[in-house]
Amino acid sequence: MIKIEKGREPKELVEYRRKSGASYEGMDRSVKEKVLESLMKEQGHLCAYCMRRIPEKRRLPDGVSPATIEHWFPQNPEDKEDHGQGLDYRNMLAVCAGNRGCKTEKNLTCDARRKNSAIKVNPCNPDTLKGIFYEATGRIRSVDPAIDEDLDKRLNLNCEAISLPEIRKKVLEELLFDIRKKHPNAGSDIRSYCKRRLKKFSEQKEYKEPYVGILIAWLEKHV
């Protein structure tokens, strides 16, 4: 998971919000499509939580969208608190299908898993990301117990059913293979290489590297 820099909200959302009785549920499909398009672009076409590519290209069950709009602060929280979060662009994220259609609750991920439960980890708030780290197995963890539970339980980002840890591990192994290829001597200084790769990742805008979070975490440790 990496920090998301929020951009300017689409004018279509601004215009819709000015209408009397405007609500997220009543928003025209065309407006939602513009919002989702804007969110995906500012996120580099990665799911805000698991960091897989969105929209997903794999075949999905009928009726399952390959990318959806997520509200970090639930638009319909259990306590019914409403302060306009449903139409607040700063509260919106683009997410993957969350393994919807898998027919078992335990294998859902991201917003499909959390539903309306509150979470502490916020891709738009770097303070909540500082304690996140990755194990050698590819599992994502946090030193903050509440955030660790968000990652592992509420968002199910270590879901084995869709091989999330294994995919992250493989992505990191590809990076390490490239490092060994360019720096075959065990004692060679790889800091300049790491700096170049970090710069490259920071320059990626509309299409970021899938699962880049684990790569950035490793590279930052070695600069």
Side-chain angles (χ1 to χ4, degrees), residues 184-209:
N185 297 324
S188 60
D189 189 349
I190 63 171
R191 284 177 295 181
S192 59
Y193 172 94
C194 293
K195 288 179 181 178
R196 288 196 304 272
R197 290 302 296 266
L198 282 170
K199 184 176 185 294
K200 178 181 177 181
F201 290 143
S202 70
E203 291 172 346
Q204 291 177 339
K205 300 301 181 185
E206 190 166 349
Y207 287 95
K208 295 182 183 294
E209 190 86 12

Side-chain angles (χ1 to χ4, degrees), residues 12-54:
E12 291 84 357
L13 176 60
V14 176
E15 293 169 356
Y16 174 73
R17 196 167 50 234
R18 290 172 180 160
K19 294 182 178 180
S20 177
S23 68
Y24 182 78
E25 291 81 358
M27 189 188 296
D28 292 341
R29 180 177 178 180
S30 60
V31 179
K32 285 187 177 180
E33 288 176 349
K34 286 292 184 182
V35 171
L36 183 57
E37 180 182 325
S38 178
L39 292 169
M40 288 192 294
K41 185 174 182 179
E42 72 185 17
Q43 292 174 202
H45 284 81
L46 300 182
C47 173
Y49 297 135
C50 73
M51 304 199 73
R52 70 166 67 232
R53 171 76 70 217
I54 53 173

Side-chain angles (χ1 to χ4, degrees), residues 134-138 165-181 193 197 209-211 214-215 218:
Y134 297 86
E135 296 180 341
T137 58
E166 183 180 341
I167 292 171
R168 292 190 202 102
K169 181 181 178 182
K170 183 178 179 181
V171 166
L172 179 58
E173 287 174 345
E174 289 173 355
L175 172 71
L176 298 180
F177 176 80
D178 191 55
I179 290 174
R180 287 193 294 269
K181 183 178 178 180
Y193 172 94
R197 290 302 296 266
E209 190 86 12
Y211 308 100
I214 191 170
L215 302 181
W218 192 93

Side-chain angles (χ1 to χ4, degrees), residues 26-193:
M27 189 188 296
D28 292 341
R29 180 177 178 180
S30 60
V31 179
K32 285 187 177 180
E33 288 176 349
K34 286 292 184 182
V35 171
L36 183 57
E37 180 182 325
S38 178
L39 292 169
M40 288 192 294
K41 185 174 182 179
E42 72 185 17
Q43 292 174 202
H45 284 81
L46 300 182
C47 173
Y49 297 135
C50 73
M51 304 199 73
R52 70 166 67 232
R53 171 76 70 217
I54 53 173
E56 296 182 56
K57 293 183 179 180
R58 66 190 178 97
R59 185 180 178 86
L60 298 170
D62 291 342
V64 176
S65 174
T68 58
I69 298 172
E70 151 81 333
H71 292 81
W72 180 80
F73 185 92
Q75 59 166 329
N76 297 306
E78 293 180 1
D79 60 9
K80 308 300 181 184
E81 183 180 355
D82 184 359
H83 49 76
Q85 68 267 23
L87 295 177
D88 184 353
Y89 186 73
R90 295 168 300 177
N91 189 47
M92 296 178 183
L93 300 167
V95 294
C96 68
N99 206 26
R100 287 180 173 88
C102 66
K103 299 180 180 180
T104 173
E105 183 82 14
K106 71 177 183 177
N107 291 335
L108 294 174
T109 69
C110 305
D111 74 312
R113 174 63 174 242
R114 72 165 285 203
K115 297 181 179 176
N116 283 326
S117 61
I119 56 175
K120 183 177 179 182
V121 65
N122 183 352
C124 298
N125 182 352
D127 289 339
T128 70
L129 308 181
K130 288 179 180 177
I132 289 178
F133 64 96
Y134 297 86
E135 296 180 341
T137 58
R139 292 176 66 86
I140 184 171
R141 302 292 307 277
S142 174
V143 297
D144 183 318
I147 291 179
D148 194 58
E149 191 168 352
D150 284 343
L151 300 173
D152 195 48
K153 304 297 183 185
R154 297 185 186 91
L155 295 171
N156 198 22
L157 298 187
N158 291 314
C159 181
E160 299 286 354
I162 56 174
S163 307
L164 285 179
E166 183 180 341
I167 292 171
R168 292 190 202 102
K169 181 181 178 182
K170 183 178 179 181
V171 166
L172 179 58
E173 287 174 345
E174 289 173 355
L175 172 71
L176 298 180
F177 176 80
D178 191 55
I179 290 174
R180 287 193 294 269
K181 183 178 178 180
K182 291 181 169 59
H183 297 271
N185 297 324
S188 60
D189 189 349
I190 63 171
R191 284 177 295 181
S192 59
Y193 172 94

